[in-house]
Each structure stands twice: as C-alpha cells, then as structure tokens.
C-alpha cells in the first residue's frame, strides 16, 4: 500500500488510476447485466440515449451500455492473459539467456530475434482467418502472448548481464549459493520493476491488436469486445444512419482505456527511475 500511496502522489498516475478504476467498474457491472450479450432483439432497435437506455440501443436490438460492459470485460481479459503469459516467457528466456550465456544465450537470442523481426500483423491475420469460427477471446489472448514476449526478454537479459558482473554475484557464488537461489533471490527483485513497467505496455498492444483483427472481421464476432462492437457499428454504417452513440461508445471508451494505461505506464516508469527517486528524496528532505 505504501508503494501505491507514493504512486498516487504523481498526477499522471493518479489520473490514469481513476480512469482505469471507472473502466474496471464497467467490467464488474457486466456480471449484473439483465441481458444476454449474444442475443439480438432484446430491446427496441436504434433508440437514442435515454433514461431507460443510457447509451441507447443498436440495430441488433441490444442495449449499448450493457453491451459495453461485456466488451470492456472481455477486452481486459484478453489483455491480461496476453500480458501475463508473455511475461512468463520473457522472464524465463531473459533470465536463462542472461545468466547462462554461451551457446544457450546465442540459441535463445537467435529465437528471440526471429520473433522480433516477424511481421506480426500478417501472421496474426493468417492465424485468425484459419481458426476464425473457433477462436475464443481466451485463445486470442494466448496467441497474442506467444508473439508478445521477445522485446521484453531482451530487456531482461540485458539487466541480468549487468547483474552477473557485480560483486554480490561473485560473493554469492563463492559462498556456495546454488544457481536457482542466486537467480530468484538476488536477480529477480531487480527484474520485477521491468516486468511491471512492460506489463501495461503489453496490455495496450494486445487490446490494439484485438481491435485491429476484429475490425477486419477475423475474430469471433459473437463475443462482445471493444473491437467487435466497433466492427458491428461500422458494418451497419451507424454513423451514416445517425446512430452516433453506437459508434462513439467503443471509440471513446478505447481512447480512455489507452490513455489510462499510458499514464499508468509513465507513472510507474518514473517511479522506478533512480533519478526521479533521488529527486523525490531531496524534495522530502527539503
């Protein structure tokens, strides 16, 4: 709680935190929805925002507000799955490559660099088109995690290479510490800040890729996400028909979501930066 209290002193992080809390509240509301998000013609079609339907209804006979709650929940789930499993891969590859070095490092970094130069969007489009009808949002999150770890693994490896040459490493080895104990007890605390700072960026990337694939019609459109909401609105030409609330709802929510994640990422990065930490200590002393 002390770390969160320190982070909330930063205006950027505080604003991002407030926005993401509101978005999370929307996701929680989906569990109390009176409507099934996959069924059509549950409410009158094309109704503008009113007291009965806060964000209006769409041409499919669905309440846009309650549809948004499911979309936010599913989009965040995709992002969390992609970020979590890609962090696991990045940590393992970065720690092993950085500490072991030699041929193991060359092999792992060769694989890592191959993923870095892969044209991800065409590959994801191909995979999504092949399994379009069977692709759940959990499956999409796992696919994104498989392609979202390489850059962060290289960053972690660089940190481990630096730590491996420090005095405490030689002291630990001379005192008889085992490799796993050294890596997880001594190195891992230095890696955690990198993991958290890249976690949020990876979530933003995953949400953006899901929206791109959905707009191209390459995901399961029956599952409500921010991307599928936008795709349905575009397919029905909502803006031309004057149904601005149907199109603007996922667009505005996505903008706020990306802005909040960016502000959180910047706030965490500045908090973990040793230079800004020294400045905070000076301010407190003064």
């Amino acid at each position: 709680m002390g770390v969160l209290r320190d982070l909330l002193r930063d205006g950027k992080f505080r604003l991002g935190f407030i926005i993401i809390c509101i978005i999370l509240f929307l996701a929680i509301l989906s569990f109390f929805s009176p409507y099934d998000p996959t069924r059509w013609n549950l409410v009158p079609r094309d109704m503008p925002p009113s007291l009965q339907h806060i964000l209006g209804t769409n041409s499919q006979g669905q309440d846009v507000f309650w549809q948004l709650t499911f979309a936010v929940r599913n989009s965040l789930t995709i992002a969390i799955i992609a970020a979590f499993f890609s962090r696991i891969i990045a940590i393992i590859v970065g720690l092993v490559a950085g500490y072991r070095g030699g041929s193991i490092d060359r092999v792992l970094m060769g694989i890592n660099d191959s993923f870095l130069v892969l044209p991800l969007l065409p590959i994801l489009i191909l995979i999504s088109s092949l399994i379009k009808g069977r692709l759940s949002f959990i499956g999409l999150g796992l696919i994104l995690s498989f392609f979202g770890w390489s850059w962060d693994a290289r960053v972690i490896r660089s940190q481990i290479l630096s730590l491996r040459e420090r005095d405490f490493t030689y002291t630990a080895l001379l005192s008889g510490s085992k490799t796993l104990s050294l890596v997880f007890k001594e190195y891992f605390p230095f890696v955690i800040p990198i993991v958290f700072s890249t976690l949020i960026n990876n979530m933003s990337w995953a949400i953006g890729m899901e929206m791109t694939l959905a707009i191209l019609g390459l995901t399961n459109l029956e599952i409500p996400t921010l991307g599928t909401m936008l795709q349905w609105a575009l397919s029905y030409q909502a803006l031309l028909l004057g149904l601005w609330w149907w199109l603007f709802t996922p667009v505005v929510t996505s903008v706020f979501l990306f802005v909040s994640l960016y502000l959180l990422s910047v706030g965490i990065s500045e908090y973990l930066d040793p230079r800004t930490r020294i400045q905070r200590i000076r301010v407190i002393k003064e």
Side-chain angles (χ1 to χ4, degrees):
M1 292 299 294
V3 174
L4 180 60
R5 194 181 304 112
D6 292 338
L7 285 169
L8 289 173
R9 291 172 182 167
D10 179 54
K12 294 186 290 294
F13 183 89
R14 185 165 58 249
L15 178 59
F17 185 77
I18 292 171
I19 297 173
I20 201 67
C21 284
I22 295 172
I23 293 174
L24 287 173
F25 178 70
L26 287 175
I28 293 172
L29 284 179
S30 65
F31 294 100
F32 305 97
S33 173
Y35 305 111
D36 184 343
T38 61
R39 294 184 60 187
W40 294 14
N41 301 319
L42 297 174
V43 295
R45 298 184 180 188
D46 302 335
M47 298 293 292
S50 63
L51 292 177
Q52 187 176 3
H53 304 289
I54 301 175
L55 295 177
T57 65
N58 58 28
S59 298
Q60 299 169 331
Q62 297 172 321
D63 187 290
V64 174
F65 173 78
W66 290 110
Q67 199 72 7
L68 176 66
T69 61
F70 284 100
V72 168
R73 189 182 83 184
N74 291 335
S75 290
L76 286 177
T77 302
I78 291 171
I80 292 171
I81 290 173
F84 176 76
F85 286 103
S86 64
R87 295 314 86 195
I88 293 177
I89 300 173
I91 290 170
I92 293 174
V93 172
L95 287 176
V96 174
Y99 182 77
R100 297 293 296 178
S103 58
I104 294 177
D105 181 30
R106 288 192 294 272
V107 170
L108 289 177
M109 285 302 101
I111 298 172
N112 184 85
D113 293 342
S114 299
F115 275 87
L116 280 175
V117 300
L118 283 176
L120 292 184
L121 184 57
I123 292 175
L124 290 173
I125 289 174
L126 176 61
I127 295 174
S128 300
S129 62
L130 291 175
I131 56 177
K132 176 182 175 182
R134 304 183 300 275
L135 186 61
S136 65
F137 65 92
I138 295 177
L140 178 59
L142 292 174
I143 291 174
L144 292 174
S145 69
F146 182 72
F147 291 100
W149 57 270
S150 53
W151 176 257
D152 303 325
R154 179 165 283 280
V155 175
I156 293 172
R157 170 185 174 271
S158 299
Q159 179 71 14
I160 298 302
L161 287 174
S162 174
L163 295 173
R164 195 177 64 176
E165 301 302 323
R166 296 191 183 181
D167 293 338
F168 72 84
T169 297
Y170 297 109
T171 303
L173 291 174
L174 291 174
S175 63
S177 296
K178 296 182 179 179
T179 301
L180 288 177
S181 175
L182 175 64
V183 169
F184 287 101
K185 289 184 178 180
E186 303 293 341
Y187 291 172
F188 200 65
F190 290 92
V191 173
I192 290 177
I194 300 175
V195 172
F196 278 105
S197 62
T198 58
L199 174 75
I200 299 176
N201 293 330
N202 197 261
M203 288 179 63
S204 298
W205 172 80
I207 293 172
M209 291 304 299
E210 183 279 323
M211 293 184 69
T212 302
L213 295 173
I215 291 172
L216 294 174
L218 298 175
T219 60
N220 189 344
L221 299 180
E222 295 180 358
I223 300 174
T225 64
L226 292 172
T228 56
M229 275 192 75
L230 189 56
Q231 204 279 340
W232 282 118
L234 293 172
S235 297
Y236 277 82
Q237 299 181 338
L239 196 59
L240 293 177
L241 295 175
L243 308 177
W244 54 268
W245 56 87
W246 189 8
L247 181 64
F248 284 1
T249 294
V251 171
V252 173
T253 304
S254 301
V255 169
F256 276 108
L257 179 56
F258 284 124
V259 169
S260 66
L261 291 175
Y262 170 75
L263 292 175
L264 290 175
S265 177
V266 171
I268 292 174
S269 297
E270 290 183 355
Y271 178 79
L272 296 174
D273 188 347
R275 290 170 295 183
T276 58
R277 190 177 301 174
I278 293 173
Q279 291 176 0
R280 287 197 304 271
I281 294 173
R282 288 176 179 173
V283 170
I284 293 172
K285 287 182 177 180
E286 293 175 356

